[in-house]
Every structure is written in structure tokens, then in C-alpha cells.
């Protein structure tokens, strides 16, 4: 079973080491000593905790659609030319980049600071693990 040191868990959750230590002390996460005497968290427990802690902002659109991968965030950059544009959003800890027409950027009023939703519908999602992980 994979185990993560508290500092690794903090990095994966996007919080400080101290925050993870507080969660352990409060009983929200359990930790035990590994053979080297370092505090570690079980990978499955950490995954369940991460899922429970993930609170996506409310989706401001009221449109029903089949795409399930929806990322609410703020537009951080817009690069346009005469025909095409590149729009970057910061959705939590994730940077999402979209290529679209410059016309669409104008129609949607996309500029830095605007709230937007990136909707991703893909038939292929690649999953990787660090080398040697089992």
C-alpha cells in the first residue's frame, strides 16, 4: 500500500505541512511511523480525504450537458490575434488552457479576472504513475 510522508501529503493537498499535522492531531487523518521513524499517511486514506476536502466552487451556468469534467475558475490570460485566441484559466490548483476563435473571446467577454467554466469532454484520458510505482 502506498504511503506518503506528511510533507508529501501536504504538497499533494496544496496545503502546508503544519496544516496536515493539525489534521492528524485533530483525528481527521491518521498517521503512523514508517520503518525510518517518519510519520506517514496511508495512500488510500489520503485519497479519500482529498476527495472529501475538494469543494469546487458553484458552477455559475445553469445549462445541462453530458460533459462531467467542469472546472470553475478565473481567466488569467487572453492572447488573441485576428482569428484565434488562447485563453488561460486558473481553476483551483490547475491551469487550464483553451484555444478558440477571437470572435468567441469577444462574444463571451473573456479577459483577466472574469469568472468562467472550462468544460472538458474527451474520449482519451492518459493516467501516469511515477516510475517504479506499483
Amino acid at each position: 500500500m502506498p504511503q506518503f510522508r506528511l510533507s508529501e501529503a501536504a504538497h499533494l493537498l496544496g496545503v502546508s505541512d503544519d496544516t496536515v499535522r493539525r489534521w492528524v492531531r485533530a483525528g481527521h487523518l491518521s498517521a503512523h511511523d514508517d520503518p525510518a521513524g517518519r510519520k506517514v499517511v496511508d495512500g488510500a486514506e489520503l485519497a479519500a480525504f482529498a476527495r472529501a476536502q475538494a469543494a469546487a466552487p458553484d458552477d455559475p451556468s445553469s445549462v445541462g450537458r453530458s460533459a462531467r469534467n467542469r472546472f470553475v475558475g478565473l481567466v488569467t490570460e487572453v492572447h488573441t490575434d485576428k482569428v484565434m485566441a488562447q485563453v488561460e484559466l486558473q481553476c483551483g490548483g490547475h491551469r487550464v488552457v483553451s484555444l478558440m476563435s477571437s470572435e468567441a473571446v469577444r462574444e463571451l467577454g473573456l479577459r483577466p479576472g472574469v469568472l468562467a467554466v472550462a468544460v472538458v469532454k474527451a474520449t482519451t484520458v492518459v493516467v501516469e504513475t511515477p516510475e517504479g510505482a506499483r
Side-chain angles (χ1 to χ4, degrees):
M1 186 61 70
Q3 297 177 338
F4 296 93
R5 292 190 320 265
L6 297 188
S7 61
E8 294 171 324
H11 179 73
L12 291 168
L13 294 172
V15 298
S16 71
D17 296 8
D18 287 337
T19 297
V20 173
R21 284 187 202 92
R22 279 192 296 273
W23 286 336
V24 169
R25 280 194 303 271
H28 301 300
L29 269 175
S30 58
H32 62 275
D33 292 336
D34 70 2
R38 300 174 298 202
K39 292 284 186 198
V40 293
V41 178
D42 173 73
E45 181 182 350
L46 184 62
F49 183 80
R51 174 177 268 183
Q53 292 296 307
D58 290 334
D59 187 336
S61 64
S62 60
V63 177
R65 60 179 59 87
S66 64
R68 298 292 179 242
N69 301 311
R70 305 171 57 73
F71 304 96
V72 178
L74 293 172
V75 175
T76 56
E77 289 189 48
V78 177
H79 302 282
T80 61
D81 64 19
K82 187 174 180 178
V83 178
M84 293 300 295
Q86 175 180 316
V87 178
E88 295 185 22
L89 289 90
Q90 192 66 40
C91 304
H94 303 283
R95 175 179 167 255
V96 179
V97 179
S98 176
L99 301 178
M100 64 183 74
S101 69
S102 293
E103 178 182 28
V105 167
R106 287 189 300 276
E107 287 177 0
L108 293 171
L110 297 177
R111 63 189 182 285
V114 168
L115 178 67
V117 181
V119 180
V120 180
K121 177 95 176 183
T123 57
T124 304
V125 176
V126 177
V127 176
E128 300 176 338
T129 61
E131 187 177 333
R134 296 177 192 230

